[in-house]
C-alpha cells in the first residue's frame, strides 16, 4: 500500500460530521457574519451527528464572532459519550470541533457505564453493553474498585473462569458472580487470600463439582461453606480426600532410588 492509499485509509476511520447552518439565519446587523459550517472531527462509535447538531444549533445563531466558544465547548462536553473537546473558529464562517469519545470498560450499577480510568457516565441505553462485566462499589472509590476487580479477574482467568459481576458494599465486603452462575461471598478481610485458597480447592474437586456450586461463602477464617445447585450430583468426598493409590511398580522404583542414593524429584 503506497502513501496516498494509507492516508485515505486513515481518513476512512476518522469520522467527520459537518453540516451547513447558513440557510435561514438572518444576521442581526450587517456587521454580523453568520456561521455557515460546523465541522466535527473524531473517531465515533456511539456519538451521532443529530445528537451533536441538536446540542449546538441553539448556540451558533448569534453569528461567527458573537458565538461563545466556551459555551459550545461546555455543551458538547456534557454529552455522555464525550471524553474531550477542542473548539476553534475558522475564518470566515465555520467552527471546527474535535471530539474524543469515551470507551466503556464495564457496566456500573444498573444504568451506567464506567471507563478504565474510573469515569462513570450514563448514556440513554446500556442494553447493548450487557456483555461487559457489571461492577458496583462505594461512592468516590471507583478507581480503587476497578483495580481490585482487575486483580480478581486475572486470578479467575488463571482457572478458566469468567467474571460477570463484582460488587463491593459500603463496608468493603466483596461479592463475585461468575459466568457459570456461581456466586462467591467474601468478607472484609483477606479477600484475595481466601479467594486463592478457594480456587486451589476447586482444582482438587474438578470442573464438574465446581460447576455444581451455587454459592461459595468464603467469609470464614479457616474454610468456607458451599450451597449446591438443586440438580447437582452427589460428591464422593472419600474419593477426593484419599490420595491416589501407589502402584507396586512405583514402590519398587522408589526403593531402588533410595538404595542407590538417588533423590526423587517432582
Amino acid at each position: 500500500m503506497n502513501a496516498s492509499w494509507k492516508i485515505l485509509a486513515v481518513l476512512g476511520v476518522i469520522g467527520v460530521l459537518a453540516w451547513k447552518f447558513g440557510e435561514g439565519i438572518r444576521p442581526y446587523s450587517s456587521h454580523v457574519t453568520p456561521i455557515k459550517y460546523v465541522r466535527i472531527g473524531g473517531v465515533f462509535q456511539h456519538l451521532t451527528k443529530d445528537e451533536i447538531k441538536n446540542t449546538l444549533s441553539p448556540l451558533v445563531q448569534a453569528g461567527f464572532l458573537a458565538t461563545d466558544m466556551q459555551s459550545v465547548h461546555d455543551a458538547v462536553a456534557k454529552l455522555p459519550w464525550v471524553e474531550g473537546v477542542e473548539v476553534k473558529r475558522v475564518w470566515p464562517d465555520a467552527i471546527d470541533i474535535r471530539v474524543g469519545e469515551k470507551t466503556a470498560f464495564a457496566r456500573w450499577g444498573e444504568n451506567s457505564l464506567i471507563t478504565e480510568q474510573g469515569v462513570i457516565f450514563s448514556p440513554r441505553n446500556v442494553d447493548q453493553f450487557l456483555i461487559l462485566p457489571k461492577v458496583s462499589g462505594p461512592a468516590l472509590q471507583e478507581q480503587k474498585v476497578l483495580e481490585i476487580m482487575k486483580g480478581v479477574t486475572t486470578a479467575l482467568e488463571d482457572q478458566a473462569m469468567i467474571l460477570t459481576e463484582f460488587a463491593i458494599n459500603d463496608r468493603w465486603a466483596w461479592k463475585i458472580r461468575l459466568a457459570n452462575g456461581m456466586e462467591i461471598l467474601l468478607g472484609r478481610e483477606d479477600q484475595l487470600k481466601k479467594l486463592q485458597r478457594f480456587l486451589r480447592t476447586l482444582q482438587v474437586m474438578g470442573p464438574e463439582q465446581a460447576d455444581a456450586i451455587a454459592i461459595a461463602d468464603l467469609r470464614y477464617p479457616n474454610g468456607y461453606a458451599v450451597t449446591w445447585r438443586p440438580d447437582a450430583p452427589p460428591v464422593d468426598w472419600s474419593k477426593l480426600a484419599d490420595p491416589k493409590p501407589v502402584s507396586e511398580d512405583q514402590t519398587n522404583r522408589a526403593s531402588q532410588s533410595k538404595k542407590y542414593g538417588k533423590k526423587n524429584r517432582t
Side-chain angles (χ1 to χ4, degrees):
M1 181 181 293
N2 58 37
S4 62
W5 281 108
K6 289 182 179 179
I7 293 173
L8 289 174
V10 172
L11 291 177
V13 173
I14 300 177
V16 178
L17 307 182
W19 60 92
K20 191 172 183 179
F21 273 96
E23 292 84 4
I25 297 178
R26 296 182 178 179
Y28 297 112
S29 71
S30 59
H31 302 290
V32 177
T33 302
I35 295 172
K36 292 184 178 180
Y37 302 97
V38 175
R39 295 186 288 264
I40 310 294
V43 180
F44 309 120
Q45 288 185 316
H46 307 287
L47 281 168
T48 66
K49 176 180 177 179
D50 288 341
E51 185 177 18
I52 300 175
K53 183 177 180 180
N54 292 337
T55 300
L56 293 180
S57 291
L59 303 174
V60 296
Q61 304 295 322
F64 181 74
L65 296 178
T67 296
D68 185 352
M69 292 295 102
Q70 187 62 49
S71 297
V72 172
H73 174 280
D74 294 346
V76 177
K78 288 179 182 178
L79 295 174
W81 279 105
V82 173
E83 178 73 23
V85 187
E86 295 179 4
V87 180
K88 67 177 180 179
R89 291 184 178 89
V90 180
W91 185 264
D93 54 9
I95 294 178
D96 278 1
I97 304 176
R98 186 75 182 178
V99 179
E101 190 180 65
K102 291 187 180 81
T103 299
F105 180 73
R107 291 179 291 146
W108 185 267
E110 296 295 332
N111 302 310
S112 298
L113 303 173
I114 188 168
T115 68
E116 192 169 2
Q117 293 72 36
V119 177
I120 298 174
F121 61 106
S122 301
R124 294 179 181 177
N125 186 2
V126 298
D127 291 345
Q128 59 182 310
F129 299 96
L130 295 179
I131 191 173
L132 295 177
K134 180 181 177 182
V135 189
S136 61
L140 304 180
Q141 298 295 325
E142 296 85 2
Q143 290 184 343
K144 185 174 182 180
V145 172
L146 284 184
E147 289 303 315
I148 296 172
M149 171 208 165
K150 292 175 185 177
V152 170
T153 300
T154 299
L156 293 172
E157 287 177 346
D158 289 342
Q159 304 299 325
M161 295 179 171
I162 300 174
L163 176 73
T164 58
E165 293 186 24
F166 179 69
I168 298 180
N169 65 21
D170 291 337
R171 301 179 63 193
W172 285 93
W174 300 5
K175 182 169 71 173
I176 298 169
R177 184 179 294 275
L178 306 182
N180 64 0
M182 184 194 303
E183 189 174 282
I184 304 174
L185 305 178
L186 294 121
R188 296 180 293 164
E189 298 179 357
D190 300 325
Q191 296 99 327
L192 283 176
K193 180 179 179 181
K194 292 177 181 178
L195 178 61
Q196 291 170 346
R197 181 178 61 191
F198 171 67
L199 294 177
R200 287 195 297 269
T201 64
L202 291 184
Q203 293 178 340
V204 177
M205 295 172 62
E208 292 184 0
Q209 284 75 25
D211 288 339
I213 297 176
I215 302 174
D217 190 344
L218 278 58
R219 295 174 293 181
Y220 299 89
N222 298 312
Y224 59 87
V226 169
T227 301
W228 300 98
R229 300 181 190 276
D231 57 347
V235 180
D236 188 350
W237 293 108
S238 61
K239 184 177 180 181
L240 293 174
D242 290 341
K244 185 178 180 180
V246 180
S247 66
E248 182 177 352
D249 183 58
Q250 289 175 316
T251 303
N252 292 336
R253 289 202 303 270
S255 299
Q256 292 175 0
S257 297
K258 184 176 181 180
K259 179 179 179 180
Y260 293 105
K262 295 179 180 180
K263 295 181 180 180
N264 294 325
R265 296 182 178 180
T266 58

